Amino acid sequence: MSAMASSSLKVGAVVITMGNRPDELRALIDSVAKQDGDPVEVVVVGNGSPVPDVAQFSSVVRTVELPENLGIPGGRNVGIEAFGPSGRDVDILLFLDDDGLLAHHDTAELCRQAFAADPKLGIISFRIADPDTGETQRRHVPRLRASDPMRSSRVTTFLGGANAVRTRVFAEAGALPDEFFYAHEETDLAWRALDAGWMIDYRSDMVLYHPTTAPSRHAVYHRMVARNRVWLARRNLPVPLVPVYLGVWLLLTLLRRPSRSALKAWFGGFREGWTTPCGPRRPMKWRTVWRLTRLGRPPVI
């Protein structure tokens, strides 16, 4: 694909914030403003909070302040719609955590080139690295064989706060699931995108610096993870795979020996996943199940 074709792709970025990391947010926006090629317009969504002062970037930043916290997928969906229905005013949207930082100036340009070269590429998952050590946590490599984070590959899911999505994916597969609030919303979108015929790449050369953290720092982590795991299966899997998928994850959870309080929260979320509405059910095609299997992650784990 020619350089002219890739340069014609318009790139935007969505950042959601709780307003509690103003310095990190400004540093992130600065790293976006320094990207090679055409300017990347940024929409910052204050998720139930005012957006910190970003007036110095007024030429490339728009802000939206929501009266309540809609959760991660809900906030990102508002950011998508700020670029027109399903984000159609741009070709590519970057989704970046507000305490992250693009490590290199060519990330947006690499995204343009990748999407221009592969018309079936729908989503790119960036590599997340600690800014001090350069280490990439195993959980941040979106595949089962995660021992080598420097190996790029086709994958079956992506990282929510460090990715790029072709906006046609939203038009064809739908938005992120608002109901999830936090956890597994990326996999829900990934499965629907794959079912619609799109592919997902993990790219080790596209790097977001982000401090090393544990996901369980979020108070609602264990309940949301369990509830949304059930919702994910109920929404997307063929009926025979639902009990297999959830049985495997129940076993894996027990093998990890969580604390008594964590396990109690997990089982509470698991029950909630069965007893509450999960949104529309659109079971994936069996050929999508086979595609996931060939990519190394059958939808039973």
Side-chain angles (χ1 to χ4, degrees):
M1 187 64 66
S2 69
M4 183 177 295
S6 65
S7 65
S8 68
L9 296 178
K10 294 180 63 176
V11 181
V14 173
V15 180
I16 59 173
T17 183
M18 300 291 290
N20 55 349
R21 295 189 279 240
D23 294 338
E24 292 90 339
L25 174 63
R26 285 188 282 268
L28 168 65
I29 295 173
D30 186 54
S31 74
V32 176
K34 291 177 178 176
Q35 291 297 298
D36 300 336
D38 291 338
V40 177
E41 183 181 358
V42 181
V43 167
V44 180
V45 178
N47 215 354
S49 66
V51 174
D53 180 21
V54 290
Q56 69 201 84
F57 305 107
S58 58
S59 62
V60 293
V61 174
R62 287 184 287 148
T63 62
V64 179
E65 295 185 351
L66 303 177
E68 61 178 311
N69 183 356
L70 299 182
I72 292 173
R76 287 183 178 143
N77 284 339
V78 169
I80 294 167
E81 294 300 306
F83 288 94
S86 299
R88 69 184 181 192
D89 294 346
V90 293
D91 303 291
I92 302 162
L93 278 176
L94 312 180
F95 294 87
L96 307 169
D97 277 349
D98 68 342
D99 56 345
L101 184 76
L102 289 175
H104 309 300
H105 292 182
D106 64 350
T107 302
E109 187 58 30
L110 288 174
C111 286
R112 293 186 186 98
Q113 293 172 8
F115 285 116
D118 185 352
K120 295 311 294 180
L121 179 61
I123 302 172
I124 299 173
S125 189
F126 300 166
R127 180 167 63 90
I128 294 179
D130 184 273
D132 297 321
T133 67
E135 177 186 359
T136 295
Q137 293 179 272
R138 188 180 183 91
R139 69 184 182 88
H140 284 153
V141 182
R143 58 176 179 245
L144 292 179
R145 295 172 182 169
S147 59
D148 182 7
M150 300 307 294
R151 178 172 67 87
S152 299
S153 69
R154 282 268 152 100
V155 291
T156 61
T157 189
F158 63 99
L159 306 173
N163 67 81
V165 181
R166 192 191 298 266
T167 52
R168 280 179 54 201
V169 171
F170 299 121
E172 294 182 16
L176 292 156
D178 286 345
E179 304 94 332
F180 281 40
F181 197 85
Y182 164 78
H184 302 319
E185 66 272 6
E186 303 93 351
T187 299
D188 187 87
L189 175 60
W191 284 359
R192 285 184 281 117
L194 288 163
D195 200 50
W198 297 102
M199 301 302 291
I200 306 170
D201 279 355
Y202 166 72
R203 289 282 297 263
S204 64
D205 57 335
M206 301 182 189
V207 181
L208 184 84
Y209 284 147
H210 189 282
T212 298
T213 56
S216 53
R217 73 190 187 279
H218 299 289
V220 296
Y221 172 78
H222 297 287
R223 181 176 69 86
M224 292 289 195
V225 161
R227 183 197 69 181
N228 292 0
R229 184 79 70 184
V230 177
W231 282 0
L232 184 66
R234 288 175 58 197
R235 286 164 59 97
N236 295 289
L237 291 181
V239 169
L241 294 185
V242 173
V244 180
Y245 177 80
L246 295 176
V248 167
W249 278 104
L250 173 60
L251 178 60
L252 288 173
T253 299
L254 295 173
L255 289 174
R256 289 169 178 168
R257 295 177 174 271
S259 67
R260 184 185 294 267
S261 60
L263 196 59
K264 181 179 179 181
W266 194 94
F267 274 110
F270 194 80
R271 285 191 298 271
E272 186 180 347
W274 286 109
T275 58
T276 54
C278 63
R281 173 168 165 77
R282 301 189 186 101
M284 67 177 65
K285 307 173 190 74
W286 282 104
R287 68 170 175 262
T288 305
V289 173
W290 176 236
R291 177 189 288 183
L292 287 161
T293 302
R294 286 190 293 112
L295 288 169
R297 189 152 197 167
V300 294
I301 188 170

